[in-house]
Amino acid sequence: MMMKNLSTLSLIAATLTTGMVAGLMADWAYTVLPGLGRSSDRTFVEGLQHLNRAIQNGWFFLSFLGAILFAGLAAYLAWRGHGRDALPWIIAGLALYLVTFIITFAANIPLNEQLDRAGDPAQIKDLAAVRADFESKWIAWHLVRTVANIAAFGCLAWALVIHGGQRDDKPAAAASAGPASGLPAAAPYGHPIHPQPYGPVHAPHVRHR
């Protein structure tokens, strides 16, 4: 029972943390980036520099890294037999989230560092060139990782539905095994159970006249 509860809690945690990151990335895709896209070059560069520094905090890393750890634990426990029907969806969610994770470290973070190395926007001579070298590539990779992250959240949410719908059939199996094990089956309510006599039952002797 303890392992089953741990399996449920790990899957819930994986779904929540993946959903938190998916919501953050979606918000950037349809709010932050379009807003900055309408701003001047200096506002764009300066705004993203500050945002990329501010997002490096414990709350973000708890969800961003925790999603992998919780999903991996949920997959392991499901593989061990605690909610195995949900395992394919957990694996799919973990794989899609790993796509998000890899894109972040292989594409978006290097571009963030490139933008940060450009220095203080007040001292940059060609802000338009700095922006052009960053904006289109960063947004393209961000959209890919956002779609992958949302898909990962959907898979884990469905895995949670499947996991929650599973029944523990052991008690039912134990109850149905009563007659097969030689024990008398329970009588319907209101009908007493008459004990059977020990030893062979002999028919009454009939005396013929």
Side-chain angles (χ1 to χ4, degrees), residues 9 26 31 39 47 85 95 97 104 111 120-121 131 148-150 173 188 193 201:
L9 290 175
T31 302
S39 61
D85 290 348
Y97 190 80
T104 298
L111 287 169
D120 185 352
R131 176 177 181 172
N149 199 164
I150 293 172
I193 298 177
V201 179

Side-chain angles (χ1 to χ4, degrees), residues 9-191:
L9 290 175
S10 63
L11 184 53
I12 291 174
T15 305
L16 287 176
T17 49
T18 303
M20 289 170 63
V21 180
L24 172 67
M25 291 190 175
D27 180 64
W28 271 65
Y30 56 68
T31 302
V32 176
L33 293 174
L36 287 173
R38 299 184 181 96
S39 61
S40 65
D41 293 337
R42 175 168 179 171
T43 301
F44 180 88
V45 172
E46 187 175 15
L48 272 173
Q49 283 180 340
H50 287 305
L51 286 169
N52 290 333
R53 293 167 190 159
I55 203 172
Q56 299 179 46
N57 59 76
W59 291 110
F60 171 72
F61 289 122
L62 175 64
S63 55
F64 186 66
L65 300 177
I68 292 181
L69 298 176
F70 291 131
L73 178 60
Y76 172 74
L77 293 174
W79 174 74
R80 289 287 303 271
H82 301 281
R84 183 165 293 213
D85 290 348
L87 180 59
W89 291 100
I90 298 174
I91 293 175
L94 177 59
L96 286 165
Y97 190 80
L98 284 173
V99 171
T100 302
F101 191 84
I102 292 170
I103 289 174
T104 298
F105 277 90
N108 293 98
I109 288 180
L111 287 169
N112 290 343
E113 294 173 345
Q114 171 187 310
L115 186 67
D116 194 61
R117 286 194 301 269
D120 185 352
Q123 306 298 325
I124 298 176
K125 295 181 180 180
D126 193 351
L127 283 168
V130 172
R131 176 177 181 172
D133 197 31
F134 172 90
E135 186 174 16
S136 59
K137 291 181 287 186
W138 197 96
I139 291 177
W141 283 114
H142 179 73
L143 292 176
V144 174
R145 68 176 179 170
T146 300
V147 171
N149 199 164
I150 293 172
F153 172 68
C155 290
L156 290 173
W158 185 243
L160 191 59
V161 171
I162 295 175
H163 180 83
Q166 286 184 317
R167 295 182 299 108
D168 191 357
D169 295 330
K170 291 181 179 180
S176 63
S181 62
L183 298 176
Y189 180 76
H191 295 273

